[in-house]
Amino acid sequence: MRSAFTKVSERGSVRKLLSIVALSAALTLVAAPVPAGSASASRTSPSACDHIGDKDAAIRDFVEGIKKDWNLDVKARDYEIQAHGGECAIQPKGARPVANGAEARSGGSTTSMTTVETMPASAASAAGDVTIQQDVAWQQPSCYEWEDAEHIGWMRACGQWGRMDYAAATHKNYAYRMYASCHALAGHAFDQVSECYVAAEPYGNDPNIVWNDWDPKATLQFDPCGSTLPIGLSVGPFSTSFAITSCDKIVPSESSSPGVPDLRATWIGKSYYAEDVRQTAALVAFGVPKSYQSSPSLYFKRGFTHEECVWPPTPSPYYPWCAI
């Protein structure tokens, strides 16, 4: 797998090379004092996107990666590269995050992004209009890719709207499915990616939205990596599903605020090498009254956590535990 920002290392000999690089970096950190101000200078650049030399090629890699990972088709012409604070993102043209930056999770430093996603108006049926369908009518996805400001971790995520209409429905019914991949970037001897999540939340706490179903609903354990995670839900007389490959475990969570569902699916584990790609996904379904004239909107949230490696009881002072 290859990200648009960083070419992923090959396994085997390159893994050993990364370990040597990690060891060398650790020895350097121990042996030489860091001059004042040099840490920030080495981890940031005048522009968050300066390290992407060929932006057109980066977007092409991004489009190809989405097709390979999730069989979703997006067009390179619909995407651009934009800086958001200290981060750089590939995103739909004109998209602006509602929020990006740190968010407290289980530990470490979390890079997150939230956007408001609206069901395309052309796909919303007129009030009272009901269509019988065999499956969800999925719309064009919105996809994003970015690194954190310190270039420790990377994330790619897509969100996609669908309609779930059926005969005798009392509501106009919708679905939203979310995909995400995360991994660590090479070159940080003491850091790893430990969480990767996607989540949906009603935009503006709209009282007209009724939540029907969501998945995953329970913690799922995977062994080995590469296990298939089926995700599905039901609304009325029919259901829909899709699958991703995952490893370690997927943990669901809901918002602690009464009446405000924050339906989140989080991968939890360890990614130290760039080829240690982790995936998570979720699917939500909700309805609005037939008299509802607007196209519904929701917050699409996604993020990843990076943290320092966990050391064994008697660690070597020169070698990061997570590289072993």
Side-chain angles (χ1 to χ4, degrees):
M1 178 177 177
R2 179 183 178 184
S3 80
F5 293 109
T6 305
K7 185 175 181 180
V8 174
S9 305
E10 299 294 335
R11 295 185 182 272
S13 62
V14 176
R15 178 181 287 270
K16 296 178 182 177
L17 177 60
L18 284 173
S19 297
I20 295 171
V21 171
L23 175 58
S24 299
L27 286 168
T28 301
L29 288 172
V30 172
V34 179
S38 65
S40 59
S42 64
R43 289 193 140 189
T44 60
S45 62
S47 170
C49 300
D50 281 354
H51 66 295
I52 306 177
D54 189 337
K55 293 180 171 54
D56 289 338
I59 293 175
R60 287 195 299 270
D61 286 347
F62 162 76
V63 169
E64 291 171 3
I66 291 167
K67 178 66 175 180
K68 178 182 177 182
D69 288 350
W70 304 313
N71 199 30
L72 298 176
D73 292 309
V74 297
K75 305 298 183 185
R77 64 174 179 267
D78 296 331
Y79 286 81
E80 63 183 359
I81 295 178
Q82 285 288 340
H84 298 293
E87 300 167 10
C88 185
I90 298 177
Q91 61 181 32
K93 287 183 176 178
R96 291 293 179 269
V98 175
N100 70 304
E103 177 183 320
R105 297 299 296 159
S106 65
S109 176
T110 298
T111 294
S112 62
M113 183 180 292
T114 300
T115 51
V116 176
E117 305 290 336
T118 301
M119 179 72 180
S122 61
S125 300
D129 183 22
V130 176
T131 303
I132 299 175
Q133 296 172 179
Q134 296 302 313
D135 197 359
V136 175
W138 294 109
Q139 306 301 311
Q140 184 73 6
S142 294
C143 299
Y144 301 82
E145 182 177 300
W146 75 100
E147 298 175 1
D148 64 282
E150 296 177 303
H151 307 298
I152 295 173
W154 165 94
M155 184 173 197
R156 176 185 293 152
C158 291
Q160 190 174 26
W161 282 94
R163 286 294 302 266
M164 298 187 73
D165 291 326
Y166 61 93
T170 58
H171 285 69
K172 292 186 285 187
N173 294 299
Y174 300 88
Y176 193 76
R177 60 182 178 182
M178 300 163 280
Y179 309 79
S181 290
C182 296
H183 66 72
L185 299 174
H188 292 275
F190 298 101
D191 297 288
Q192 64 186 6
V193 170
S194 58
E195 289 186 354
C196 178
Y197 76 87
V198 290
E201 180 180 315
Y203 174 60
N205 301 328
D206 191 334
N208 293 297
I209 293 179
V210 178
W211 290 89
N212 295 326
D213 195 8
W214 76 291
D215 195 11
K217 304 178 186 69
T219 298
L220 304 172
Q221 193 79 33
F222 299 95
D223 185 24
C225 288
S227 301
T228 299
L229 167 62
I231 298 177
L233 50 75
S234 300
V235 175
F238 77 101
S239 61
T240 187
S241 64
F242 66 99
I244 65 164
T245 56
S246 192
C247 63
D248 302 302
K249 60 184 177 181
I250 305 292
V251 178
S253 59
E254 299 183 55
S255 172
S256 58
S257 302
V260 183
D262 176 2
L263 307 179
R264 182 178 303 237
T266 304
W267 163 81
I268 295 178
K270 181 177 70 175
S271 169
Y272 176 76
Y273 294 102
E275 69 265 30
D276 294 337
V277 179
R278 306 300 190 238
Q279 291 195 5
T280 188
L283 181 60
V284 299
F286 59 92
V288 296
K290 289 184 178 180
S291 59
Y292 193 84
Q293 296 298 314
S294 302
S295 296
S297 299
L298 53 72
Y299 290 111
F300 175 28
K301 301 179 177 182
R302 57 272 182 200
F304 62 91
T305 298
H306 58 81
E307 62 187 11
E308 291 186 356
C309 303
V310 178
W311 298 85
T314 56
S316 162
Y318 308 118
Y319 200 83
W321 174 242
C322 56
I324 298 175

